[in-house]
């Protein structure tokens, strides 16, 4: 059973656009929601993370929006740049253990 | 710090052969994780260790897979015998604690012919 559903699978935007990637989770025990960024040939790297005590967190051009009642969270990238082209993974953990459960990933392409 | 180190970066082998993947975590990190990444299944946690002790191996696909952590600075993931469906990118990650950032290595791209 997939516990974190991510959409879309792929996304193409023009430079300066605002791509939005969405994730939904099922386990109400989750209390840590990170986003990872992965470039080709590299391992995933933490981009930004949020805990459910806040509804939004911003770091630079990256913003996480969190809706606890809907069990959804999303990543927004403001003023996207070609260098943001990568695969983005949402993840969640919490409860009796803190194993990270990852979404399937979104391949983002930002055209110049 | 050099980050998480994995070797080899690429491995091509034939079905039935033994494959050993190696990982050196970041010094001082108490948790070590092994993941497998495929297009179909995404990133899957195989096993994780705390202070060199395996805590959860429920993600290990079958008995052909085994993992060890003989000391705080070294871990191995072994596949014996390997099969074509084991072809994937295998990542090692380490973390200073559960619920804290996991730092991933560059991965080992495994191709089993």
């Amino acid at each position: 059973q997939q516990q974190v559903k991510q959409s879309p699978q792929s996304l193409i935007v023009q430079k300066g656009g605002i791509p939005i990637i969405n994730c939904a989770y099922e386990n109400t025990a989750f209390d840590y929601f990170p986003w990872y960024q992965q470039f080709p040939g590299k391992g995933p790297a933490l981009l930004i993370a949020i805990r459910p005590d806040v509804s939004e967190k911003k770091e630079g051009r990256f913003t996480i929006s969190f809706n606890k009642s809907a069990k959804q969270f999303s990543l927004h990238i403001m003023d996207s740049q070609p260098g943001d082209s990568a695969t983005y993974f949402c993840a969640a953990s919490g409860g009796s253990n803190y194993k990270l459960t990852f979404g399937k990933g979104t391949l983002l392409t930002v055209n110049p | 710090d050099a980050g998480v180190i994995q070797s080899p970066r690429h491995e091509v082998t034939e079905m039935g052969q033994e494959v050993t993947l190696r990982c050196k975590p970041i010094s001082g990190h108490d948790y070590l994780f092994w993941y497998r990444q495929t297009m179909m299944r995404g990133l899957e946690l195989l096993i994780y260790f705390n202070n060199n002790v395996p805590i959860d191996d429920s993600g290990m696909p079958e008995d052909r897979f085994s993992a060890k952590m003989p000391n705080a600075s070294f871990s191995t993931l072994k596949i014996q015998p390997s099969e074509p469906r084991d072809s994937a990118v295998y990542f090692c990650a380490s973390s200073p604690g559960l619920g804290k950032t996991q730092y991933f290595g560059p991965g080992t791209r495994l191709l089993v012919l």
Side-chain angles (χ1 to χ4, degrees), chain B residues 4-69:
Chain B
V4 175
I5 299 173
Q6 291 187 248
S7 65
R9 293 295 312 276
H10 299 88
E11 178 81 26
V12 181
T13 190
E14 293 188 346
M15 183 174 64
Q17 296 298 304
E18 178 180 293
V19 175
T20 299
L21 311 181
R22 297 173 176 80
C23 174
K24 176 178 168 54
I26 294 172
S27 177
H29 283 189
D30 294 332
Y31 288 84
L32 184 139
F33 306 83
W34 281 102
Y35 289 88
R36 179 172 66 178
Q37 185 176 40
T38 61
M39 289 295 292
M40 287 298 294
R41 301 175 68 89
L43 265 168
E44 302 174 278
L45 177 65
L46 301 177
I47 185 172
Y48 78 91
F49 295 82
N50 176 215
N51 291 324
N52 314 336
V53 176
I55 303 300
D56 187 338
D57 65 354
S58 59
M60 297 286 261
E62 48 198 277
D63 293 345
R64 297 185 297 106
F65 286 69
S66 63
K68 295 182 180 179
M69 192 166 185

Side-chain angles (χ1 to χ4, degrees), chain A residues 69-86:
Chain A
S69 61
K71 293 186 287 184
Q72 295 176 347
F73 57 110
S74 60
L75 176 70
H76 298 62
I77 305 175
M78 308 300 290
D79 187 27
S80 59
Q81 302 296 313
D84 296 330
S85 297

